[in-house]
Amino acid sequence: MSCFVEIDGSYLEGGGQALRNALALSVVLNRPVRVIKIRANRPKPGLSHQHLHGVNLLRDISNAEVKGNVLHSTELTFTPHTIIGSMYKVDTRTAASITLVYQMVMPVLLFAGTTSRIDVMGGTNVSYSPQVEYMQQVLLPNLKRFGVNFDLKVLHYGFYPRGNGRCVLEVAPVRSLNAVQINDFGQFRAVRGSAYYSGRLPKCIAFDMQHSAEREIHRLWPDHECTIHVFKHPPDKARDNGAGIILTAVTSTGCIMGVATVGEKNIDGHMIGSNSSCELAGYIKNDICVDAHMQDQLIIYMALAKGCSSIRSGALTKHTRTAIYVAELMAGVKFNIEYGNFGQTLISCEGIGHCNAYM
């Protein structure tokens, strides 16, 4: 029993983050883990459908021995073995977030012996999860700095409550991860984005998002480019009602920050566009290099990389503090936090330089 690293799933954020990161690091580092009090701070604690699919996918990828992988379980033990790069398929049969399943398995697949392909059905754009466009347009360029390369294709977009989305993720293995320094903002260059709608929703929703977002950016930076395209997903790409916006800001040093928002019931396009652009403007005004949604996602890669990594972000989110808690326990690393002006936070870590045993 003592060989298990114990992770408290109720720590800070108290959601699925601790579980996802703990299991991913368990497989990569070949360290058995016990996660207790899973999702203790959620209205319905324990493993949801989405988390259970992720656990079982990692079980298959690593030929792991698992106890507690049942719906609503609040405790899980996981003993991994060999990482098997292959083709895998998951059907959540709900609107469960596809991107959170990918977030769980991506670090693992980087240390397989061959390219892997993960076909997942569920929700591409759902609340409280990274939007699929954010993964393509913001996560990918940030992970490329570590030496990561993946290809994410959306075969069908899926929204709450029906889901019906389908994506295919292809991940190439790496020998090791590069350390990164994402702390030089440089000069703000442009904002680019898109506002979409689908199903029976009127196009005015997307135009409202576009106009409100562009108005805010042009008010603050009248001489800078701000281009937001409006489009409708064709029926063969999205049958159900859905709408949202993705905005990215780029700088002269290659920093890419993003905000992606999906509309819920009674969609107010003006409010979505205004709130999204105001959030993005906050990053630009304060010279933030890594946005609040990217912060926590980079922690696991910093811990595994070879050398010292540092990222300049805003205030630490609970998700990030949880990710740091898990990484320090699982990988034995130490994250340093320095607080600067305008709410800036410099997060740094000397990674363990983990090497791919299958390459």
Side-chain angles (χ1 to χ4, degrees), residues 30-102:
N30 197 28
R31 297 194 69 185
V33 66
R34 174 186 294 107
V35 185
I36 62 172
K37 302 178 184 176
I38 296 172
R39 300 181 68 247
N41 296 348
R42 292 297 182 259
K44 295 181 179 179
L47 294 175
S48 69
H49 286 283
Q50 166 191 291
H51 302 95
L52 184 56
H53 283 296
V55 169
N56 289 338
L57 178 56
L58 275 185
R59 174 201 61 195
D60 296 342
I61 290 172
S62 64
N63 193 27
E65 300 165 36
V66 188
K67 292 182 180 178
N69 54 327
V70 293
L71 202 60
H72 309 309
S73 171
T74 57
E75 184 170 325
L76 181 90
T77 60
F78 192 94
T79 305
H81 296 292
T82 305
I83 300 176
I84 307 165
S86 185
M87 296 177 62
Y88 297 92
K89 191 169 185 176
V90 176
D91 185 356
T92 68
R93 301 183 185 278
T94 66
S97 171
I98 291 173
T99 59
L100 286 182
V101 173
Y102 287 153

Side-chain angles (χ1 to χ4, degrees), residues 113-173:
T114 186
T115 296
S116 300
R117 192 169 182 265
I118 313 293
D119 183 337
V120 183
M121 289 170 277
T124 59
N125 300 79
V126 292
S127 300
Y128 308 110
S129 305
Q131 307 303 300
V132 69
E133 297 88 356
Y134 183 89
M135 189 172 177
Q136 293 170 316
Q137 299 177 37
V138 187
L139 179 63
L140 177 57
N142 276 280
L143 288 190
K144 279 187 174 180
R145 293 174 179 252
F146 290 89
V148 173
N149 194 30
F150 68 80
D151 180 62
L152 175 57
K153 289 184 173 62
V154 181
L155 305 184
H156 203 275
Y157 290 87
F159 307 96
Y160 183 83
R162 294 180 62 183
N164 290 327
R166 184 180 178 188
C167 296
V168 176
L169 175 71
E170 194 169 276
V171 182

Side-chain angles (χ1 to χ4, degrees), residues 173-304:
V174 298
R175 181 75 181 93
S176 61
L177 295 171
N178 306 322
V180 303
Q181 285 73 45
I182 313 177
N183 47 39
D184 180 8
F185 184 84
Q187 299 295 318
F188 165 51
R189 292 295 191 221
V191 168
R192 302 185 180 99
S194 56
Y196 64 85
Y197 66 106
S198 67
R200 298 181 304 278
L201 293 181
K203 63 182 178 182
C204 63
I205 289 176
F207 280 109
D208 288 347
M209 289 188 283
Q210 176 201 40
H211 293 154
S212 294
E214 287 184 342
R215 182 171 60 246
E216 177 64 15
I217 298 301
H218 283 144
R219 181 182 70 83
L220 295 168
W221 296 279
D223 299 326
H224 284 69
E225 176 191 348
C226 178
T227 305
I228 302 172
H229 298 287
V230 170
F231 67 92
K232 180 177 183 177
H233 287 310
D236 63 324
K237 282 288 188 179
R239 290 188 297 273
D240 300 322
N241 293 346
I245 192 169
I246 170 76
L247 301 176
T248 61
V250 296
T251 77
S252 59
T253 55
C255 294
I256 298 181
M257 294 74 64
V259 178
T261 307
V262 63
E264 299 183 52
K265 290 183 179 179
N266 304 316
I267 299 170
D268 185 332
H270 283 300
M271 181 172 291
I272 291 174
S274 178
N275 289 346
S276 299
S277 58
C278 285
E279 181 181 342
L280 191 68
Y283 301 138
I284 299 168
K285 287 188 288 187
N286 295 320
D287 290 353
I288 299 299
C289 302
V290 173
D291 66 65
H293 313 284
M294 183 59 52
Q295 243 186 48
D296 62 292
Q297 296 189 62
L298 298 186
I299 296 299
I300 192 169
Y301 300 96
M302 295 171 70
L304 294 171

